[in-house]
Amino acid sequence: MNLIHTTKPTDIQKNHMTTLVNACKAAEPLALSAPVEDDLGYDILLLYEDSGTLAAMSFLFFPQEGPCEFCAFVDPKKRRRGYFSLLLDKTLDLVDDYEKTQKASVDFCFLADERTPSAVAALSSIGAEYWYSEHKMERPLTQKDKNFTPSSLTIEKDSQDPNLYCALFKGRIIGTCAVLPSGRQLYLYAFQIREEYQGQGLGKEFLLGMFCILSDIGDWVTIQVSGQNYIARNLYKKTGFQTTESLSYYLY
């Protein structure tokens, strides 16, 4: 058995990681994928058997705020051999080292797809507690979007941040929306409307206005929303978004 810790996997290791995730996806529903892009800042553990086969792997991420996030994959044909426990123990050692270096404690959470029975069972067996869910919602940009013109708002780009758009109502900024392009896919984040202007249809008008602007530069828009944010989820549904992935967080 060979356990490798890396933050920059080789091309060969990336191929092994992708193969393992695909094997897991073939066995049961799974939306998660391997972080094979460069410089994402993950602590990656790769557990190879003596034959050279990647049997299990895990990813640990320390965000600037909030708990560290952990996710693991185990080959469906090689489960119940203690591989998950081995990865978790080593990961907790990495968390301890991080806390000593930063001189601060961090909470620890698992990231899991609720549709994956083996993940839910594993988390239940170790006593992890459900925290919250997050949904990925998507919609296409169409010709109809190009024809929309806001009647109550004006939308302008922020003068200092080219990825940030501001909604102005009677000359006052009442909302913001940031856009992260990835090819023809556009990710929306930091979408918000000032509380005193909510419930007046301005959020819907702002989103539709954004679709008009973005339809010239992309084909799809994606947004993330907490499962507990019912107001936002309802707004996104009203403007054409559909849920494509649901991930849950468990505290440990």
Side-chain angles (χ1 to χ4, degrees):
M1 198 68 62
N2 183 22
L3 182 61
I4 298 173
H5 172 216
T6 181
T7 57
K8 295 182 178 181
T10 65
D11 289 340
I12 293 177
Q13 290 171 339
K14 289 178 182 179
N15 289 334
H16 292 166
M17 292 158 61
T18 301
T19 299
L20 176 54
V21 171
N22 288 339
C24 293
K25 288 184 175 181
E28 54 192 341
L30 179 65
L32 293 164
S33 59
V36 295
E37 294 84 358
D38 293 331
D39 300 324
L40 290 178
Y42 285 86
D43 281 280
I44 301 172
L45 294 178
L46 304 173
L47 183 61
Y48 283 91
E49 292 183 326
D50 292 338
S51 62
T53 301
L54 181 62
M57 61 184 177
S58 64
F59 314 111
L60 177 66
F61 180 68
F62 294 96
Q64 291 183 345
E65 296 181 0
C68 58
E69 301 173 4
F70 172 80
C71 180
F73 298 85
V74 180
D75 188 320
K77 297 179 181 179
K78 304 177 186 296
R79 292 174 181 171
R80 300 185 182 278
R81 301 183 184 180
Y83 292 164
F84 174 76
S85 296
L86 193 158
L87 291 174
L88 179 57
D89 288 344
K90 179 59 179 178
T91 297
L92 293 176
D93 289 339
L94 295 175
V95 174
D96 287 341
D97 292 340
Y98 178 86
E99 290 180 327
K100 292 175 182 177
T101 301
Q102 299 296 318
K103 297 181 180 180
S105 61
V106 295
D107 291 324
F108 183 87
C109 75
F110 294 94
L111 179 59
D113 189 328
E114 282 291 330
R115 302 172 304 161
T116 308
S118 62
V120 176
L123 296 178
S124 176
S125 68
I126 63 174
E129 297 183 359
Y130 173 78
W131 183 19
Y132 79 101
S133 295
E134 192 170 81
H135 303 283
K136 178 181 179 181
M137 304 182 74
E138 298 180 297
R139 82 184 290 280
L141 294 169
T142 66
Q143 183 62 42
K144 184 179 178 181
D145 293 318
K146 295 179 183 291
N147 301 327
F148 180 82
T149 301
S151 58
S152 303
L153 300 171
T154 57
I155 302 175
E156 298 178 356
K157 266 192 175 184
D158 184 83
S159 59
Q160 298 182 344
D161 185 348
N163 292 324
L164 184 66
Y165 292 79
C166 301
L168 286 80
F169 179 70
K170 296 182 179 179
R172 183 185 182 190
I173 295 178
I174 64 146
T176 58
C177 180
V179 180
L180 180 63
S182 179
R184 300 292 291 178
Q185 184 91 359
L186 305 169
Y187 293 85
L188 305 187
Y189 63 100
F191 178 82
Q192 56 184 341
I193 296 290
R194 288 182 180 271
E195 186 174 357
E196 62 267 33
Y197 292 95
Q198 295 177 8
Q200 303 176 40
L202 297 175
K204 181 178 181 181
E205 187 171 350
F206 184 19
L207 269 179
L208 294 176
M210 287 297 303
F211 300 155
C212 177
I213 295 170
L214 299 176
S215 63
D216 288 330
I217 58 176
D219 299 321
W220 282 82
V221 285
T222 301
I223 198 164
Q224 301 280 137
V225 59
S226 167
Q228 284 69 34
N229 194 342
Y230 302 108
I231 294 177
R233 288 178 65 193
N234 189 45
L235 171 61
Y236 300 150
K237 288 179 181 178
K238 286 182 177 179
T239 53
F241 282 98
Q242 293 187 337
T243 301
T244 56
E245 292 181 9
S246 295
L247 300 178
S248 295
Y249 293 80
Y250 289 76
L251 291 174
Y252 183 66

